[in-house]
Amino acid sequence: MDQWLTIAFDSTQQAIYTEMLLEYAEVEIDTYPTPKEITAGCALSIQFPEQFLEKVKYVIITEKVEIRGIFRKEGSQYIEIDVGEENEE
């Protein structure tokens, strides 16, 4: 079974925009409440299988999506993954 990764956002608008982009890119996703272990300004997060990580990174970078980060769950913690570009405002 593939590990699922989590994208967290600071705005609901960016979460909904990303959901649309990833569905269009045919990435398997699941929208769900942001885990309490991740500090983000938006209560909505997107999960996707790790096998789609490179495609997700490409969409985020090329479409200039603003995210809090992409996280991998390890035990009870969420570890941030490098996206390859700063997403700071």
Side-chain angles (χ1 to χ4, degrees):
M1 183 172 125
D2 284 336
Q3 164 123 15
W4 283 61
L5 304 177
T6 300
I7 309 171
F9 302 89
D10 283 327
S11 88
T12 303
Q13 180 182 12
Q14 289 296 309
I16 293 168
Y17 177 56
T18 304
E19 178 183 24
M20 179 204 61
L21 291 171
L22 294 179
E23 286 176 347
Y24 183 76
E26 298 183 352
V27 174
E28 180 183 354
I29 62 168
D30 182 29
T31 305
Y32 77 114
T34 301
K36 65 180 180 188
E37 296 86 0
I38 299 174
T39 302
C42 176
L44 192 62
S45 288
I46 296 174
Q47 279 188 325
F48 64 93
E50 189 166 9
Q51 71 187 44
F52 290 107
L53 179 58
E54 291 308 313
K55 185 183 270 192
V56 169
K57 285 181 177 182
Y58 177 80
V59 169
I60 288 169
I61 292 168
T62 59
E63 297 297 328
K64 298 179 175 39
V65 177
E66 295 176 20
I67 65 170
R68 167 61 70 190
I70 299 177
F71 299 85
R72 173 183 289 117
K73 187 169 185 179
E74 294 182 8
S76 63
Q77 296 183 331
Y78 285 84
I79 308 301
E80 189 167 1
I81 296 171
D82 181 29
V83 177
E85 179 181 59
E86 290 296 318
N87 283 298
E88 311 256 336
E89 293 179 28

